[in-house]
Amino acid sequence: MSQMGRSSSLEGQVAVVTGAARGVGELLARKLSARGAKVALVGLEPEELRRVAESLHGEAAHWYADVTDHEAMGQVAREVKARFGKVDVVVANAGVATGGPFVESDPVAWRRVIEVNLVGGAVTGRAFLPVLLE
């Protein structure tokens, strides 16, 4: 195998992807799986997560969780480790978007964007750092 082939393989690695039900998260999960990683999908759409997990090349599982929920994400991190034995890669991909001028924006929707896109990434990192460091 060429040097490049070895470096692109993720055989034996465990990758977590949040927001993996569609879009960039789904594509990342597919690419990671195609390169040999076992993939843990996390998000708020269990049926879509199941569909993606079942369509991947290798071993995959999915968890329903809100990335802004510290306790839920801590539980997911423990369960992913229990299921796969370790975690090597975490992609905090979950995100939401709303459009339009700020002055006309819905304050509840704006707060959710900040919570998911900013706080959610930090919560994901905090939840998975202990298992990543192992």
Side-chain angles (χ1 to χ4, degrees), residues 3 6 18 25-27 51 84-85 108 117 121 124 126 134:
Q3 182 65 24
R6 269 196 305 275
T18 67
E26 179 181 357
L27 180 61
R51 175 191 60 78
F84 293 112
V108 173
N117 297 358
T124 299
R126 185 181 301 276
E134 287 178 22

Side-chain angles (χ1 to χ4, degrees), residues 45 49 71 87:
E45 298 173 276
L49 292 168
E71 281 135 28
V87 174

Side-chain angles (χ1 to χ4, degrees), residues 21-22 42-51 62-65:
R22 63 183 74 253
V42 182
L44 292 174
E45 298 173 276
E47 292 306 315
E48 289 301 308
L49 292 168
R50 178 178 293 112
R51 175 191 60 78
H62 65 281
W63 282 262
Y64 172 86

Side-chain angles (χ1 to χ4, degrees), residues 50-121:
R50 178 178 293 112
R51 175 191 60 78
V52 174
E54 290 172 353
S55 71
L56 296 180
H57 301 306
E59 195 176 345
H62 65 281
W63 282 262
Y64 172 86
D66 183 331
V67 296
T68 67
D69 183 332
H70 292 275
E71 281 135 28
M73 290 302 289
Q75 182 65 33
V76 168
R78 289 186 294 276
E79 290 179 14
V80 170
K81 182 178 183 232
R83 168 76 166 74
F84 293 112
K86 64 177 183 163
V87 174
D88 300 292
V89 175
V90 176
V91 181
N93 166 75
V96 294
T98 60
F102 181 73
V103 70
E104 298 168 8
S105 67
D106 173 10
V108 173
W110 178 85
R111 180 174 294 275
R112 183 68 181 158
V113 168
I114 298 303
E115 287 174 354
V116 173
N117 297 358
L118 178 61
V119 176

